[in-house]
Amino acid sequence: VPGPLAYLNGEFLPRSSATLSVEDRGFVFGDGVYEVWRVLGGQPFELDAHLARLKFGLGELRITPPDIAESDMFSNVAKRLLGASSLETGEATIYLEITRGAAPRTHQFPLTPTRPTVFAVANRFEPPEPLRARGARAITMPDVRWLRCDIKTIQLLPNVLAKQTAVEQGATEAIFIRDGVVTEGSHTNLFGVERGVIRTHPANNLILGGVTRSVVIDIARSLGIEVDETPIAGDRIGGLDEAFLVGTTTDVMPLVRVDEHTVGSGAPGPIAKQLQLALRERLDAIGGERRSPATIAS
Ligand SMILES: Cc1ncc(COP(=O)(O)O)c(C=O)c1O
């Protein structure tokens, strides 16, 4: 069996042979953006929403979108990467990164325009169902990030350090607090429930507008649950009836403990469970798979 394949600048090659210039501005400056898709039965979930966010980010960085930012081209690359690793069935993820390209190091954009570097890989994915059944723990940390968190850049150092601190403390996620309010998690968006109403930070420059966040808001409203896009005060997390994280590889993850506070009853809450069930149905629908309700509800 050949090793996993990578797509790099128009070529498919073994991942171990996919190499970059040391002058790549992604390597030198973190000058690039990325996306992660959930894939079910070979089909990327919310393909266009992720591509739209990618194009938005490229626009903000003033990188001319390469062909892969087009849905047809992306689908072809995705199909080949998935096929090469036998990922046309079951669950997978696709990672795509685009940087400004390689050039001698200067902070300003290179005088001679560079060709953007395009890199993509597909990996097998297993959703964290045992943790979902128990409920996860999170810690809070000061949000020390810049003021353009709406761009999905590869510069993730605050997120990396926050998540590492969480893991060292036996938690699953670090939740950022800025100016006394919850913004989001290191790689997830946070939702709270108070008296039956869902609250989450508005999708402005202080958070990454998650694709899952949009899908979950849509699901909640279709189920008749009110969604209020106003921030949750950091000191109110312990008093929420429910709290949960949402994201591409997280789905809806109930939180049962944040710092020293037990959330709600200390078990996954009913609204989180209901939303997870509905999200799982949308995921399965795209993969053309039907799972038993028992698997979904766990
Ligand atoms: C900081 C941050 N917030 C939220 C999310 C969730 O976004 P999505 O649902 O599009 O995966 C991510 C995903 O990586 C993220 O990095």
Side-chain angles (χ1 to χ4, degrees):
V1 184
L5 211 60
Y7 174 85
L8 183 63
N9 298 329
E11 278 187 279
F12 292 91
L13 63 180
R15 208 177 289 189
S16 52
S17 334
T19 54
L20 285 181
S21 165
V22 292
E23 290 189 316
D24 194 279
R25 290 179 61 98
F27 177 62
V28 177
F29 292 113
D31 189 356
V33 290
Y34 75 108
E35 274 299 329
V36 181
W37 282 260
R38 185 73 163 275
V39 179
L40 298 104
Q43 305 298 318
F45 184 63
E46 293 288 322
L47 187 144
D48 292 333
H50 285 277
L51 284 180
R53 184 170 66 189
L54 180 75
K55 279 192 189 165
F56 166 77
L58 289 169
E60 294 303 294
L61 269 53
R62 292 192 271 156
I63 295 174
T64 306
D67 292 346
I68 200 156
E70 298 307 324
S71 158
D72 287 354
M73 170 77 173
F74 176 78
S75 297
N76 287 338
V77 170
K79 197 169 175 194
R80 177 125 177 227
L81 289 175
L82 293 163
S85 299
S86 305
L87 297 172
E88 312 98 321
T89 56
E91 300 219 24
T93 57
I94 292 175
Y95 176 85
L96 170 64
E97 176 172 330
I98 299 172
T99 77
R100 197 180 306 279
R105 185 179 184 279
T106 60
H107 283 66
Q108 73 273 23
F109 303 164
L111 258 187
T112 320
T114 46
R115 188 179 63 148
T117 299
V118 180
F119 166 64
V121 284
N123 289 302
R124 174 66 64 198
F125 179 69
E126 186 162 346
E129 297 314 325
L131 181 62
R132 198 183 326 282
R134 292 196 301 277
R137 292 177 47 200
I139 60 166
T140 58
M141 294 199 56
D143 193 342
V144 297
R145 299 174 301 163
W146 70 334
L147 299 175
R148 290 307 309 274
C149 299
D150 53 329
I151 307 174
K152 197 167 170 65
T153 82
I154 56 175
Q155 307 191 109
L156 291 170
L157 203 43
N159 312 57
V160 165
L161 293 176
K163 170 85 183 194
Q164 177 63 20
T165 304
V167 169
E168 282 168 2
Q169 297 186 17
T172 297
E173 180 60 304
I175 296 167
F176 289 127
I177 312 276
R178 191 195 292 269
D179 295 334
V181 304
V182 175
T183 50
E184 62 181 332
S186 76
H187 66 298
T188 55
N189 292 111
L190 184 121
F191 286 54
V193 182
E194 240 179 342
R195 289 181 297 280
V197 177
I198 292 176
R199 296 258 304 272
T200 194
H201 197 284
N204 59 19
N205 63 307
L206 299 181
I207 69 163
L208 184 77
V211 171
T212 320
R213 175 187 177 283
S214 298
V215 171
V216 169
I217 289 175
D218 181 60
I219 289 173
R221 289 188 172 141
S222 73
L223 292 170
I225 304 168
E226 192 183 327
V227 181
D228 179 7
E229 294 179 63
T230 60
I232 298 164
D235 59 12
R236 288 288 304 145
I237 301 182
L240 294 170
D241 300 323
E242 290 186 42
F244 51 92
L245 306 168
V246 309
T248 290
T249 56
T250 304
D251 294 345
V252 177
M253 177 62 72
L255 289 176
V256 292
R257 212 170 164 75
V258 177
D259 295 331
E260 71 280 18
H261 306 288
T262 299
V263 180
S265 67
I271 291 184
K273 281 190 189 167
Q274 191 185 8
L275 294 173
Q276 171 61 20
L277 202 69
L279 174 62
R280 188 69 240 182
E281 276 174 15
R282 287 203 191 186
L283 289 164
D284 286 338
I286 179 180
E289 273 178 56
R290 279 275 138 242
R291 289 204 182 178
S292 73
T295 319
I296 299 169
S298 65

